[in-house]
mmCIF file of all heavy atoms in Angstrom:
data_model
loop_
_atom_site.group_PDB
_atom_site.id
_atom_site.type_symbol
_atom_site.label_atom_id
_atom_site.label_comp_id
_atom_site.label_asym_id
_atom_site.label_seq_id
_atom_site.Cartn_x
_atom_site.Cartn_y
_atom_site.Cartn_z
ATOM 1 N N LYS A 1 65.705 41.018 231.616
ATOM 2 C CA LYS A 1 65.433 41.950 230.526
ATOM 3 C C LYS A 1 64.478 43.042 230.983
ATOM 4 O O LYS A 1 63.466 42.774 231.623
ATOM 5 C CB LYS A 1 64.843 41.215 229.331
ATOM 6 C CG LYS A 1 65.839 40.362 228.568
ATOM 7 C CD LYS A 1 65.179 39.671 227.386
ATOM 8 C CE LYS A 1 66.185 38.836 226.608
ATOM 9 N NZ LYS A 1 65.546 38.111 225.484
ATOM 10 N N GLY A 2 64.813 44.268 230.658
ATOM 11 C CA GLY A 2 64.007 45.400 231.055
ATOM 12 C C GLY A 2 64.331 45.944 232.424
ATOM 13 O O GLY A 2 63.862 47.034 232.781
ATOM 14 N N ARG A 3 65.128 45.211 233.210
ATOM 15 C CA ARG A 3 65.491 45.643 234.549
ATOM 16 C C ARG A 3 66.987 45.921 234.689
ATOM 17 O O ARG A 3 67.376 46.835 235.411
ATOM 18 C CB ARG A 3 65.082 44.592 235.582
ATOM 19 C CG ARG A 3 63.590 44.315 235.624
ATOM 20 C CD ARG A 3 63.223 43.429 236.808
ATOM 21 N NE ARG A 3 63.851 42.115 236.738
ATOM 22 C CZ ARG A 3 64.689 41.633 237.660
ATOM 23 N NH1 ARG A 3 65.000 42.353 238.727
ATOM 24 N NH2 ARG A 3 65.206 40.418 237.522
ATOM 25 N N PHE A 4 67.803 45.123 234.034
ATOM 26 C CA PHE A 4 69.260 45.261 234.116
ATOM 27 C C PHE A 4 69.804 45.841 232.821
ATOM 28 O O PHE A 4 69.279 45.574 231.733
ATOM 29 C CB PHE A 4 69.930 43.907 234.349
ATOM 30 C CG PHE A 4 69.683 43.279 235.693
ATOM 31 C CD1 PHE A 4 68.747 43.794 236.584
ATOM 32 C CD2 PHE A 4 70.404 42.161 236.071
ATOM 33 C CE1 PHE A 4 68.521 43.207 237.811
ATOM 34 C CE2 PHE A 4 70.193 41.564 237.304
ATOM 35 C CZ PHE A 4 69.250 42.085 238.172
ATOM 36 N N THR A 5 70.884 46.603 232.928
ATOM 37 C CA THR A 5 71.559 47.152 231.768
ATOM 38 C C THR A 5 73.066 46.978 231.924
ATOM 39 O O THR A 5 73.638 47.414 232.921
ATOM 40 C CB THR A 5 71.244 48.642 231.575
ATOM 41 O OG1 THR A 5 69.832 48.827 231.448
ATOM 42 C CG2 THR A 5 71.931 49.170 230.315
ATOM 43 N N ILE A 6 73.693 46.351 230.945
ATOM 44 C CA ILE A 6 75.136 46.209 230.934
ATOM 45 C C ILE A 6 75.724 47.288 230.028
ATOM 46 O O ILE A 6 75.177 47.595 228.971
ATOM 47 C CB ILE A 6 75.573 44.796 230.477
ATOM 48 C CG1 ILE A 6 77.081 44.610 230.643
ATOM 49 C CG2 ILE A 6 75.130 44.509 229.052
ATOM 50 C CD1 ILE A 6 77.542 43.170 230.424
ATOM 51 N N SER A 7 76.824 47.872 230.454
ATOM 52 C CA SER A 7 77.487 48.897 229.666
ATOM 53 C C SER A 7 78.975 48.842 229.954
ATOM 54 O O SER A 7 79.414 48.173 230.894
ATOM 55 C CB SER A 7 76.925 50.290 229.981
ATOM 56 O OG SER A 7 77.139 50.632 231.338
ATOM 57 N N ARG A 8 79.751 49.543 229.146
ATOM 58 C CA ARG A 8 81.187 49.556 229.373
ATOM 59 C C ARG A 8 81.781 50.904 229.011
ATOM 60 O O ARG A 8 81.267 51.622 228.144
ATOM 61 C CB ARG A 8 81.887 48.434 228.596
ATOM 62 C CG ARG A 8 81.822 48.547 227.081
ATOM 63 C CD ARG A 8 82.312 47.255 226.419
ATOM 64 N NE ARG A 8 83.699 46.961 226.770
ATOM 65 C CZ ARG A 8 84.268 45.753 226.668
ATOM 66 N NH1 ARG A 8 83.548 44.718 226.237
ATOM 67 N NH2 ARG A 8 85.538 45.582 227.001
ATOM 68 N N ASP A 9 82.863 51.224 229.685
ATOM 69 C CA ASP A 9 83.643 52.418 229.409
ATOM 70 C C ASP A 9 85.077 51.939 229.232
ATOM 71 O O ASP A 9 85.803 51.753 230.204
ATOM 72 C CB ASP A 9 83.527 53.428 230.547
ATOM 73 C CG ASP A 9 84.202 54.746 230.223
ATOM 74 O OD1 ASP A 9 85.075 54.783 229.333
ATOM 75 O OD2 ASP A 9 83.855 55.759 230.869
ATOM 76 N N ASN A 10 85.467 51.723 227.991
ATOM 77 C CA ASN A 10 86.786 51.165 227.729
ATOM 78 C C ASN A 10 87.914 52.108 228.145
ATOM 79 O O ASN A 10 89.000 51.656 228.495
ATOM 80 C CB ASN A 10 86.920 50.807 226.247
ATOM 81 C CG ASN A 10 86.111 49.584 225.867
ATOM 82 O OD1 ASN A 10 85.793 48.753 226.712
ATOM 83 N ND2 ASN A 10 85.768 49.472 224.592
ATOM 84 N N ALA A 11 87.658 53.404 228.116
ATOM 85 C CA ALA A 11 88.664 54.364 228.557
ATOM 86 C C ALA A 11 88.977 54.198 230.038
ATOM 87 O O ALA A 11 90.099 54.479 230.479
ATOM 88 C CB ALA A 11 88.211 55.789 228.265
ATOM 89 N N LYS A 12 87.992 53.741 230.812
ATOM 90 C CA LYS A 12 88.170 53.519 232.247
ATOM 91 C C LYS A 12 88.431 52.057 232.579
ATOM 92 O O LYS A 12 88.570 51.710 233.752
ATOM 93 C CB LYS A 12 86.944 54.002 233.016
ATOM 94 C CG LYS A 12 86.704 55.498 232.931
ATOM 95 C CD LYS A 12 85.487 55.907 233.743
ATOM 96 C CE LYS A 12 85.275 57.401 233.695
ATOM 97 N NZ LYS A 12 84.066 57.808 234.481
ATOM 98 N N ASN A 13 88.476 51.200 231.552
ATOM 99 C CA ASN A 13 88.696 49.768 231.764
ATOM 100 C C ASN A 13 87.671 49.179 232.733
ATOM 101 O O ASN A 13 87.998 48.349 233.586
ATOM 102 C CB ASN A 13 90.107 49.500 232.288
ATOM 103 C CG ASN A 13 91.005 48.838 231.263
ATOM 104 O OD1 ASN A 13 90.636 48.679 230.092
ATOM 105 N ND2 ASN A 13 92.195 48.439 231.691
ATOM 106 N N THR A 14 86.425 49.589 232.576
ATOM 107 C CA THR A 14 85.380 49.203 233.513
ATOM 108 C C THR A 14 84.103 48.821 232.776
ATOM 109 O O THR A 14 83.726 49.468 231.802
ATOM 110 C CB THR A 14 85.091 50.340 234.503
ATOM 111 O OG1 THR A 14 86.293 50.677 235.202
ATOM 112 C CG2 THR A 14 84.036 49.916 235.520
ATOM 113 N N VAL A 15 83.454 47.777 233.269
ATOM 114 C CA VAL A 15 82.147 47.349 232.796
ATOM 115 C C VAL A 15 81.165 47.464 233.954
ATOM 116 O O VAL A 15 81.507 47.174 235.098
ATOM 117 C CB VAL A 15 82.195 45.916 232.245
ATOM 118 C CG1 VAL A 15 80.796 45.424 231.884
ATOM 119 C CG2 VAL A 15 83.093 45.854 231.012
ATOM 120 N N TYR A 16 79.941 47.869 233.650
ATOM 121 C CA TYR A 16 78.935 48.108 234.671
ATOM 122 C C TYR A 16 77.721 47.211 234.464
ATOM 123 O O TYR A 16 77.416 46.785 233.350
ATOM 124 C CB TYR A 16 78.471 49.564 234.638
ATOM 125 C CG TYR A 16 79.589 50.561 234.742
ATOM 126 C CD1 TYR A 16 80.145 51.136 233.604
ATOM 127 C CD2 TYR A 16 80.100 50.926 235.984
ATOM 128 C CE1 TYR A 16 81.172 52.051 233.694
ATOM 129 C CE2 TYR A 16 81.129 51.845 236.083
ATOM 130 C CZ TYR A 16 81.662 52.403 234.940
ATOM 131 O OH TYR A 16 82.693 53.311 235.043
ATOM 132 N N LEU A 17 77.026 46.953 235.548
ATOM 133 C CA LEU A 17 75.726 46.302 235.498
ATOM 134 C C LEU A 17 74.778 47.111 236.367
ATOM 135 O O LEU A 17 74.861 47.064 237.597
ATOM 136 C CB LEU A 17 75.794 44.852 235.977
ATOM 137 C CG LEU A 17 74.496 44.061 235.837
ATOM 138 C CD1 LEU A 17 74.157 43.837 234.362
ATOM 139 C CD2 LEU A 17 74.586 42.722 236.566
ATOM 140 N N GLN A 18 73.912 47.878 235.724
ATOM 141 C CA GLN A 18 72.891 48.637 236.436
ATOM 142 C C GLN A 18 71.702 47.729 236.665
ATOM 143 O O GLN A 18 71.123 47.206 235.707
ATOM 144 C CB GLN A 18 72.474 49.868 235.627
ATOM 145 C CG GLN A 18 71.381 50.700 236.281
ATOM 146 C CD GLN A 18 71.848 51.366 237.555
ATOM 147 O OE1 GLN A 18 72.921 51.953 237.593
ATOM 148 N NE2 GLN A 18 71.040 51.265 238.605
ATOM 149 N N MET A 19 71.317 47.549 237.917
ATOM 150 C CA MET A 19 70.239 46.648 238.286
ATOM 151 C C MET A 19 69.123 47.455 238.934
ATOM 152 O O MET A 19 69.315 48.039 240.002
ATOM 153 C CB MET A 19 70.735 45.561 239.238
ATOM 154 C CG MET A 19 71.935 44.779 238.711
ATOM 155 S SD MET A 19 72.399 43.389 239.787
ATOM 156 C CE MET A 19 72.909 44.296 241.258
ATOM 157 N N ASN A 20 67.979 47.485 238.283
ATOM 158 C CA ASN A 20 66.816 48.200 238.783
ATOM 159 C C ASN A 20 65.690 47.218 239.085
ATOM 160 O O ASN A 20 65.691 46.085 238.617
ATOM 161 C CB ASN A 20 66.334 49.233 237.762
ATOM 162 C CG ASN A 20 67.359 50.295 237.452
ATOM 163 O OD1 ASN A 20 68.122 50.709 238.319
ATOM 164 N ND2 ASN A 20 67.376 50.766 236.208
ATOM 165 N N SER A 21 64.718 47.680 239.850
ATOM 166 C CA SER A 21 63.552 46.858 240.200
ATOM 167 C C SER A 21 63.974 45.486 240.709
ATOM 168 O O SER A 21 63.460 44.453 240.279
ATOM 169 C CB SER A 21 62.623 46.724 238.984
ATOM 170 O OG SER A 21 62.182 47.989 238.527
ATOM 171 N N LEU A 22 64.891 45.480 241.632
ATOM 172 C CA LEU A 22 65.454 44.228 242.127
ATOM 173 C C LEU A 22 64.403 43.390 242.849
ATOM 174 O O LEU A 22 63.522 43.919 243.534
ATOM 175 C CB LEU A 22 66.635 44.504 243.043
ATOM 176 C CG LEU A 22 67.923 44.891 242.304
ATOM 177 C CD1 LEU A 22 68.906 45.555 243.253
ATOM 178 C CD2 LEU A 22 68.551 43.658 241.662
ATOM 179 N N LYS A 23 64.536 42.090 242.683
ATOM 180 C CA LYS A 23 63.635 41.118 243.284
ATOM 181 C C LYS A 23 64.423 40.196 244.207
ATOM 182 O O LYS A 23 65.626 40.009 244.015
ATOM 183 C CB LYS A 23 62.954 40.278 242.195
ATOM 184 C CG LYS A 23 62.203 41.087 241.147
ATOM 185 C CD LYS A 23 61.688 40.178 240.040
ATOM 186 C CE LYS A 23 60.949 40.968 238.976
ATOM 187 N NZ LYS A 23 60.467 40.081 237.884
ATOM 188 N N PRO A 24 63.771 39.594 245.195
ATOM 189 C CA PRO A 24 64.482 38.656 246.067
ATOM 190 C C PRO A 24 65.189 37.543 245.303
ATOM 191 O O PRO A 24 66.264 37.100 245.724
ATOM 192 C CB PRO A 24 63.378 38.103 246.967
ATOM 193 C CG PRO A 24 62.391 39.221 247.042
ATOM 194 C CD PRO A 24 62.399 39.838 245.670
ATOM 195 N N GLU A 25 64.634 37.106 244.192
ATOM 196 C CA GLU A 25 65.250 36.051 243.413
ATOM 197 C C GLU A 25 66.527 36.495 242.698
ATOM 198 O O GLU A 25 67.228 35.664 242.112
ATOM 199 C CB GLU A 25 64.263 35.455 242.394
ATOM 200 C CG GLU A 25 63.527 36.491 241.582
ATOM 201 C CD GLU A 25 62.154 36.823 242.145
ATOM 202 O OE1 GLU A 25 62.043 37.034 243.369
ATOM 203 O OE2 GLU A 25 61.185 36.862 241.361
ATOM 204 N N ASP A 26 66.841 37.786 242.739
ATOM 205 C CA ASP A 26 68.110 38.275 242.206
ATOM 206 C C ASP A 26 69.259 38.092 243.194
ATOM 207 O O ASP A 26 70.419 38.343 242.842
ATOM 208 C CB ASP A 26 68.010 39.753 241.839
ATOM 209 C CG ASP A 26 67.039 40.017 240.707
ATOM 210 O OD1 ASP A 26 67.036 39.241 239.725
ATOM 211 O OD2 ASP A 26 66.289 41.009 240.787
ATOM 212 N N THR A 27 68.960 37.691 244.406
ATOM 213 C CA THR A 27 69.984 37.495 245.423
ATOM 214 C C THR A 27 70.990 36.444 244.976
ATOM 215 O O THR A 27 70.621 35.320 244.629
ATOM 216 C CB THR A 27 69.352 37.079 246.751
ATOM 217 O OG1 THR A 27 68.541 38.149 247.248
ATOM 218 C CG2 THR A 27 70.411 36.746 247.787
ATOM 219 N N ALA A 28 72.260 36.808 244.967
ATOM 220 C CA ALA A 28 73.316 35.910 244.506
ATOM 221 C C ALA A 28 74.655 36.614 244.639
ATOM 222 O O ALA A 28 74.723 37.820 244.887
ATOM 223 C CB ALA A 28 73.089 35.503 243.043
ATOM 224 N N VAL A 29 75.719 35.852 244.447
ATOM 225 C CA VAL A 29 77.036 36.431 244.236
ATOM 226 C C VAL A 29 77.167 36.702 242.750
ATOM 227 O O VAL A 29 76.951 35.807 241.931
ATOM 228 C CB VAL A 29 78.162 35.501 244.717
ATOM 229 C CG1 VAL A 29 79.529 36.110 244.402
ATOM 230 C CG2 VAL A 29 78.037 35.242 246.212
ATOM 231 N N TYR A 30 77.512 37.928 242.400
ATOM 232 C CA TYR A 30 77.638 38.324 241.009
ATOM 233 C C TYR A 30 79.104 38.382 240.610
ATOM 234 O O TYR A 30 79.931 38.974 241.310
ATOM 235 C CB TYR A 30 76.977 39.687 240.775
ATOM 236 C CG TYR A 30 75.474 39.605 240.715
ATOM 237 C CD1 TYR A 30 74.730 39.337 241.854
ATOM 238 C CD2 TYR A 30 74.795 39.775 239.506
ATOM 239 C CE1 TYR A 30 73.347 39.237 241.802
ATOM 240 C CE2 TYR A 30 73.421 39.683 239.443
ATOM 241 C CZ TYR A 30 72.700 39.412 240.589
ATOM 242 O OH TYR A 30 71.327 39.317 240.528
ATOM 243 N N TYR A 31 79.417 37.766 239.475
ATOM 244 C CA TYR A 31 80.777 37.688 238.967
ATOM 245 C C TYR A 31 80.858 38.329 237.588
ATOM 246 O O TYR A 31 79.952 38.166 236.769
ATOM 247 C CB TYR A 31 81.233 36.234 238.819
ATOM 248 C CG TYR A 31 81.225 35.424 240.086
ATOM 249 C CD1 TYR A 31 80.075 34.760 240.506
ATOM 250 C CD2 TYR A 31 82.378 35.300 240.852
ATOM 251 C CE1 TYR A 31 80.069 33.995 241.659
ATOM 252 C CE2 TYR A 31 82.381 34.541 242.005
ATOM 253 C CZ TYR A 31 81.224 33.887 242.399
ATOM 254 O OH TYR A 31 81.232 33.129 243.545
ATOM 255 N N CYS A 32 81.938 39.020 237.311
ATOM 256 C CA CYS A 32 82.205 39.437 235.947
ATOM 257 C C CYS A 32 83.284 38.541 235.360
ATOM 258 O O CYS A 32 84.110 37.969 236.078
ATOM 259 C CB CYS A 32 82.602 40.912 235.856
ATOM 260 S SG CYS A 32 84.188 41.351 236.588
ATOM 261 N N ALA A 33 83.258 38.404 234.052
ATOM 262 C CA ALA A 33 84.195 37.551 233.346
ATOM 263 C C ALA A 33 84.568 38.198 232.019
ATOM 264 O O ALA A 33 83.772 38.940 231.441
ATOM 265 C CB ALA A 33 83.586 36.168 233.106
ATOM 266 N N ALA A 34 85.778 37.898 231.539
ATOM 267 C CA ALA A 34 86.267 38.499 230.306
ATOM 268 C C ALA A 34 86.912 37.451 229.419
ATOM 269 O O ALA A 34 87.518 36.493 229.905
ATOM 270 C CB ALA A 34 87.268 39.614 230.609
ATOM 271 N N GLU A 35 86.786 37.652 228.122
ATOM 272 C CA GLU A 35 87.387 36.770 227.134
ATOM 273 C C GLU A 35 87.946 37.604 225.994
ATOM 274 O O GLU A 35 87.230 38.427 225.413
ATOM 275 C CB GLU A 35 86.357 35.786 226.583
ATOM 276 C CG GLU A 35 86.906 34.861 225.506
ATOM 277 C CD GLU A 35 85.883 34.501 224.448
ATOM 278 O OE1 GLU A 35 84.829 35.144 224.379
ATOM 279 O OE2 GLU A 35 86.153 33.559 223.666
ATOM 280 N N PHE A 36 89.216 37.379 225.667
ATOM 281 C CA PHE A 36 89.805 38.075 224.533
ATOM 282 C C PHE A 36 89.178 37.595 223.232
ATOM 283 O O PHE A 36 88.977 36.396 223.034
ATOM 284 C CB PHE A 36 91.317 37.842 224.469
ATOM 285 C CG PHE A 36 91.950 38.383 223.218
ATOM 286 C CD1 PHE A 36 92.231 39.732 223.092
ATOM 287 C CD2 PHE A 36 92.249 37.550 222.154
ATOM 288 C CE1 PHE A 36 92.799 40.247 221.937
ATOM 289 C CE2 PHE A 36 92.814 38.044 220.994
ATOM 290 C CZ PHE A 36 93.091 39.399 220.881
ATOM 291 N N THR A 37 88.869 38.523 222.367
ATOM 292 C CA THR A 37 88.360 38.184 221.039
ATOM 293 C C THR A 37 88.713 39.287 220.063
ATOM 294 O O THR A 37 88.640 40.470 220.400
ATOM 295 C CB THR A 37 86.837 37.962 221.053
ATOM 296 O OG1 THR A 37 86.391 37.710 219.718
ATOM 297 C CG2 THR A 37 86.103 39.179 221.595
ATOM 298 N N PRO A 38 89.107 38.915 218.845
ATOM 299 C CA PRO A 38 89.390 39.950 217.851
ATOM 300 C C PRO A 38 88.144 40.516 217.194
ATOM 301 O O PRO A 38 88.234 41.478 216.444
ATOM 302 C CB PRO A 38 90.249 39.200 216.819
ATOM 303 C CG PRO A 38 89.763 37.795 216.892
ATOM 304 C CD PRO A 38 89.427 37.564 218.347
ATOM 305 N N ARG A 39 86.988 39.944 217.492
ATOM 306 C CA ARG A 39 85.737 40.350 216.862
ATOM 307 C C ARG A 39 84.979 41.308 217.771
ATOM 308 O O ARG A 39 84.592 40.951 218.878
ATOM 309 C CB ARG A 39 84.884 39.129 216.538
ATOM 310 C CG ARG A 39 85.568 38.150 215.603
ATOM 311 C CD ARG A 39 84.700 36.942 215.310
ATOM 312 N NE ARG A 39 85.373 35.993 214.439
ATOM 313 C CZ ARG A 39 84.852 34.848 214.039
ATOM 314 N NH1 ARG A 39 83.633 34.492 214.432
ATOM 315 N NH2 ARG A 39 85.546 34.051 213.247
ATOM 316 N N SER A 40 84.730 42.498 217.286
ATOM 317 C CA SER A 40 84.157 43.553 218.105
ATOM 318 C C SER A 40 82.684 43.360 218.427
ATOM 319 O O SER A 40 82.164 44.039 219.320
ATOM 320 C CB SER A 40 84.345 44.912 217.421
ATOM 321 O OG SER A 40 83.659 44.953 216.179
ATOM 322 N N THR A 41 82.007 42.447 217.728
ATOM 323 C CA THR A 41 80.579 42.259 217.924
ATOM 324 C C THR A 41 80.226 40.984 218.681
ATOM 325 O O THR A 41 79.053 40.705 218.903
ATOM 326 C CB THR A 41 79.850 42.239 216.573
ATOM 327 O OG1 THR A 41 80.359 41.173 215.766
ATOM 328 C CG2 THR A 41 80.047 43.563 215.838
ATOM 329 N N VAL A 42 81.216 40.210 219.092
ATOM 330 C CA VAL A 42 80.967 38.917 219.726
ATOM 331 C C VAL A 42 80.492 39.094 221.166
ATOM 332 O O VAL A 42 81.040 39.893 221.933
ATOM 333 C CB VAL A 42 82.234 38.044 219.691
ATOM 334 C CG1 VAL A 42 82.101 36.851 220.634
ATOM 335 C CG2 VAL A 42 82.502 37.568 218.276
ATOM 336 N N VAL A 43 79.468 38.334 221.547
ATOM 337 C CA VAL A 43 79.048 38.201 222.937
ATOM 338 C C VAL A 43 79.099 36.722 223.306
ATOM 339 O O VAL A 43 78.902 35.850 222.471
ATOM 340 C CB VAL A 43 77.637 38.764 223.200
ATOM 341 C CG1 VAL A 43 77.601 40.269 222.970
ATOM 342 C CG2 VAL A 43 76.608 38.071 222.309
ATOM 343 N N ARG A 44 79.374 36.438 224.577
ATOM 344 C CA ARG A 44 79.476 35.069 225.061
ATOM 345 C C ARG A 44 78.521 34.865 226.222
ATOM 346 O O ARG A 44 78.397 35.728 227.093
ATOM 347 C CB ARG A 44 80.900 34.757 225.509
ATOM 348 C CG ARG A 44 81.958 34.951 224.428
ATOM 349 C CD ARG A 44 81.778 33.984 223.277
ATOM 350 N NE ARG A 44 82.881 34.048 222.337
ATOM 351 C CZ ARG A 44 82.911 33.445 221.160
ATOM 352 N NH1 ARG A 44 81.863 32.714 220.768
ATOM 353 N NH2 ARG A 44 83.967 33.560 220.378
ATOM 354 N N VAL A 45 77.864 33.721 226.249
ATOM 355 C CA VAL A 45 76.882 33.424 227.291
ATOM 356 C C VAL A 45 77.218 32.168 228.078
ATOM 357 O O VAL A 45 76.507 31.824 229.022
ATOM 358 C CB VAL A 45 75.467 33.298 226.705
ATOM 359 C CG1 VAL A 45 75.064 34.595 226.010
ATOM 360 C CG2 VAL A 45 75.379 32.128 225.724
ATOM 361 N N SER A 46 78.289 31.480 227.729
ATOM 362 C CA SER A 46 78.663 30.237 228.390
ATOM 363 C C SER A 46 79.855 30.454 229.308
ATOM 364 O O SER A 46 80.820 31.124 228.942
ATOM 365 C CB SER A 46 79.001 29.162 227.355
ATOM 366 O OG SER A 46 79.507 27.998 227.967
ATOM 367 N N ARG A 47 79.809 29.873 230.492
ATOM 368 C CA ARG A 47 80.911 29.981 231.451
ATOM 369 C C ARG A 47 82.225 29.497 230.855
ATOM 370 O O ARG A 47 83.276 30.097 231.095
ATOM 371 C CB ARG A 47 80.605 29.171 232.713
ATOM 372 C CG ARG A 47 79.490 29.718 233.574
ATOM 373 C CD ARG A 47 79.248 28.795 234.751
ATOM 374 N NE ARG A 47 78.785 27.480 234.306
ATOM 375 C CZ ARG A 47 78.706 26.410 235.068
ATOM 376 N NH1 ARG A 47 79.056 26.484 236.351
ATOM 377 N NH2 ARG A 47 78.269 25.255 234.587
ATOM 378 N N GLY A 48 82.173 28.417 230.082
ATOM 379 C CA GLY A 48 83.372 27.824 229.528
ATOM 380 C C GLY A 48 84.058 28.672 228.485
ATOM 381 O O GLY A 48 85.202 28.375 228.117
#
């Protein structure tokens, strides 16, 4: 929080993750994931 920003451009079919003030503990493989939902306000935080 305060360092990363997620955004999307649906016209370009692309989602972004802007990562600022990176720390060594941010080192990892980063994956994006998508889930169909009819609800425009839903967010998901679980892998499953």
Side-chain angles (χ1 to χ4, degrees):
K1 287 180 179 178
R3 299 189 298 120
F4 292 9
T5 302
I6 187 171
S7 62
R8 65 191 299 160
D9 186 339
N10 288 337
K12 295 181 178 179
N13 251 7
T14 302
V15 174
Y16 306 96
L17 185 68
Q18 178 67 46
M19 306 186 295
N20 298 325
S21 301
L22 283 162
K23 304 174 181 179
E25 48 264 46
D26 295 318
T27 295
V29 177
Y30 283 70
Y31 300 87
C32 68
E35 178 213 14
F36 172 79
T37 177
R39 301 180 181 179
S40 63
T41 59
V42 166
V43 295
R44 302 295 188 189
V45 301
S46 173
R47 291 177 296 168

